[in-house]
């Protein structure tokens, strides 16, 4: 055969070899796929808790699991120092027999797996933490540092003993000092003499108002890498329906119905921006967004990017008009045309 034909055949074989399994291998994968699908269908709580524990250090995958689980009506509780385990666990509410997933403590950023193991061990050995003071007195030495304590607070893990997260964060140095003081007293020879006084010792916190809902979610996101209890665009869901906003899970279906090149409107929060350069040296930006149903991204050039940048810094929800394009691979690409402040749009609509 000719060299051209030989090269053509070889290229086809090479491409197929990238994913060309023999029958025994294919059968093994088919069995695993069937077993996984069966577990997901019949034991969804256990399936998702195990899957999230497996990817406990990957916030992107955790975010996808959380969104998928919630779409199926599965409730995921915020982490708690009094009930959460080190990893994700499936539990049953004894009052109404409803199942839910308890968020794993070690999935909180910058807390550490071994430190959370010590925390859970202390709770299992000596009982639940009864108050903020009780927690600070019994907290393992391994997690007495500012960053760990801040992220436990931001994630809502300490809500069970003190619900005002803002007050705890504003008084974080007081909490650290209380821990240090108690540990020093406890390790000194005076611990027996002043045992009663130590039991009555209280943390003196400056009065601070509780976080607004948006501030609470912003702090949750910084500690968990995802929105768990709610999403910043939830308060606008009724307005979004009237503004013909498309949900992220509806993008492909909408483009398939209306065709490549159609224009659609989306809403969400900017999570990050990545700068790229074309072959000609021009800059463009990939803007990564999330709404209540999942992540998506769009391309933006300088004029739109500078508007997006403002919302990224302020962590405010936005509306974005995009033009769609179906690529040869079948993937839908979104090109930003205009960005608007969702709060202003909501006020304009109500007027």
């Amino acid at each position: 055969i000719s060299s051209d034909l030989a090269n053509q055949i070889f290229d086809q074989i090479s491409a197929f070899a990238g994913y060309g399994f023999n029958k025994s291998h294919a059968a093994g994968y088919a069995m695993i796929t069937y077993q996984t699908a069966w577990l997901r269908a019949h034991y969804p709580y256990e399936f998702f808790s195990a899957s999230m524990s497996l990817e406990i250090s990957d916030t992107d995958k955790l975010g996808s699991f959380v969104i998928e689980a919630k779409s199926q009506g599965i409730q995921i509780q915020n982490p708690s120092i009094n009930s959460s385990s080190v990893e994700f666990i499936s539990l049953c509410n004894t009052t109404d027999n409803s199942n839910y997933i308890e968020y794993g403590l070690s999935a909180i950023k910058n807390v550490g797996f071994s430190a959370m193991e010590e925390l859970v061990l202390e709770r299992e050995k000596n009982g639940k933490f009864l108050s903020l003071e009780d927690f600070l007195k019994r907290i393992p030495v391994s997690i007495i540092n500012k960053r760990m304590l801040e992220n436990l607070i931001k994630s809502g893990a300490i809500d069970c003993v003190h619900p005002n997260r803002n007050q705890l964060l504003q008084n974080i140095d007081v909490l650290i000092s209380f821990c240090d003081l108690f540990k020093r007293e406890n390790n000194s020879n005076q611990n027996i003499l002043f045992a009663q006084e130590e039991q009555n010792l209280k943390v003196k916190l400056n009065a601070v108002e509780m976080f607004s809902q948006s501030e609470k979610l912003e702090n949750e996101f910084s500690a968990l890498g995802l929105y768990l209890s709610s999403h910043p665009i939830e308060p606008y869901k009724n307005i979004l329906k009237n503004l013909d906003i498309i949900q992220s899970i509806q993008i492909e279906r909408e483009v398939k119905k209306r065709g490549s090149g159609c224009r659609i409107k989306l809403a969400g929060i900017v999570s990050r921006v990545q700068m790229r350069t074309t072959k000609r040296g021009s800059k463009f930006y990939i803007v990564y967004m999330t709404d209540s149903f999942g992540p998506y991204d769009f391309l933006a050039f300088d004029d739109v990017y500078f508007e997006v940048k403002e919302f990224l810094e302020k962590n405010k929800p936005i509306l974005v008009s995009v033009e769609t394009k179906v690529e040869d691979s079948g993937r839908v690409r979104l090109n930003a045309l205009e960005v608007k402040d969702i709060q202003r749009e909501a006020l304009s609509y109500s007027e």
Side-chain angles (χ1 to χ4, degrees):
I1 61 175
S2 67
S3 60
D4 289 341
L5 181 57
N7 287 327
Q8 185 180 351
I9 294 171
F10 181 83
D11 289 341
Q12 291 178 348
I13 294 173
S14 178
F16 176 75
Y19 209 74
F21 294 131
N22 57 37
K23 290 183 179 179
S24 62
H25 201 161
Y29 265 95
M31 180 59 73
I32 292 173
T33 302
Y34 169 76
Q35 291 170 337
T36 305
W38 187 88
L39 286 171
R40 177 168 176 166
H42 296 281
Y43 295 92
Y45 292 88
E46 291 80 2
F47 173 83
F48 276 105
S49 59
S51 298
M52 288 190 281
S53 292
L54 186 65
E55 304 290 353
I56 204 159
S57 60
D58 191 329
T59 53
D60 289 338
K61 289 187 178 179
L62 285 181
S64 298
F65 280 127
V66 167
I67 291 165
E68 181 65 21
K70 285 186 174 182
S71 71
Q72 296 186 22
I74 295 175
Q75 184 182 7
I76 302 177
Q77 300 276 25
N78 275 66
S80 168
I81 56 171
N82 268 340
S83 57
S84 294
S85 184
V86 181
E87 298 182 326
F88 293 84
I89 53 172
S90 173
L91 296 173
C92 180
N93 191 330
T94 54
T95 57
D96 59 4
N97 284 333
S98 62
N99 293 320
Y100 63 94
I101 293 174
E102 192 86 57
Y103 206 87
L105 288 171
S106 63
I108 302 170
K109 290 183 176 181
N110 302 314
V111 296
F113 193 90
S114 59
M116 294 302 101
E117 281 185 317
E118 288 190 50
L119 180 63
V120 172
L121 185 63
E122 164 61 30
R123 186 187 72 213
E124 292 175 346
K125 183 179 178 181
N126 298 308
K128 291 184 176 182
F129 302 103
L130 303 177
S131 64
L132 177 62
E133 289 78 12
D134 185 42
F135 170 68
L136 295 174
K137 290 173 185 177
R138 294 165 52 194
I139 189 173
V141 177
S142 61
I143 61 173
I144 303 177
N145 77 58
K146 193 170 183 178
R147 177 180 284 186
M148 286 185 178
L149 199 53
E150 280 178 341
N151 278 7
L152 284 173
I153 294 167
K154 289 179 179 180
S155 69
I158 306 182
D159 284 3
C160 55
V161 294
H162 194 91
N164 191 336
R165 302 180 194 179
N166 191 21
Q167 187 179 37
L168 293 180
L169 288 173
Q170 294 298 324
N171 291 273
I172 192 73
D173 291 329
V174 176
L175 304 184
I176 299 292
S177 297
F178 184 91
C179 286
D180 292 340
L181 172 65
F182 186 80
K183 294 292 186 292
R184 287 198 303 269
E185 290 288 334
N186 203 38
N187 293 330
S188 71
N189 294 327
Q190 299 174 343
N191 61 338
I192 298 176
L193 180 63
F194 297 106
Q196 186 60 44
E197 284 76 4
E198 286 178 353
Q199 292 299 320
N200 298 325
L201 201 61
K202 296 289 183 183
V203 185
K204 294 182 179 179
L205 303 175
N206 295 324
V208 179
E209 290 186 0
M210 297 185 76
F211 280 132
S212 65
Q213 179 67 3
S214 60
E215 290 171 329
K216 177 182 171 182
L217 293 177
E218 184 179 345
N219 277 282
E220 271 186 24
F221 188 86
S222 71
L224 300 176
L226 51 89
Y227 295 106
L228 184 60
S229 59
S230 185
H231 193 280
I233 67 170
E234 279 295 308
Y236 306 99
K237 61 183 180 181
N238 292 329
I239 296 293
L240 296 181
K241 289 180 181 178
N242 295 318
L243 292 174
D244 296 324
I245 302 300
I246 303 300
Q247 299 166 353
S248 59
I249 56 173
Q250 298 174 324
I251 293 174
E252 289 189 9
R253 186 178 66 186
E254 190 70 16
V255 174
K256 186 176 181 180
K257 182 175 70 175
R258 296 169 56 183
S260 179
C262 68
R263 296 185 177 187
I264 57 176
K265 290 187 287 185
L266 301 158
I269 286 280
V270 181
S271 55
R272 63 190 176 97
V273 177
Q274 195 173 48
M275 188 188 77
R276 294 284 180 86
T277 306
T278 66
K279 293 180 180 179
R280 296 181 178 180
S282 301
K283 292 180 181 178
F284 70 96
Y285 304 86
I286 304 176
V287 182
Y288 295 90
M289 300 275 291
T290 65
D291 65 6
S292 302
F293 298 90
Y296 63 94
D297 60 79
F298 59 81
L299 302 183
F301 291 90
D302 285 341
D303 52 343
V304 175
Y305 165 69
F306 288 119
E307 296 179 30
V308 171
K309 185 180 178 182
E310 176 188 347
F311 292 106
L312 174 62
E313 292 169 350
K314 295 180 180 178
N315 200 43
K316 293 174 65 177
I318 62 172
L319 296 177
V320 54
S321 298
V322 299
E323 185 176 68
T324 65
K325 181 181 180 181
V326 180
E327 298 178 335
D328 294 337
S329 62
R331 182 180 180 272
V332 177
R333 190 178 73 189
L334 307 176
N335 296 318
L337 302 172
E338 185 181 25
V339 172
K340 293 183 179 180
D341 185 336
I342 196 172
Q343 294 177 336
R344 290 179 185 172
E345 289 300 301
L347 289 172
S348 299
Y349 182 82
S350 59
E351 290 173 358

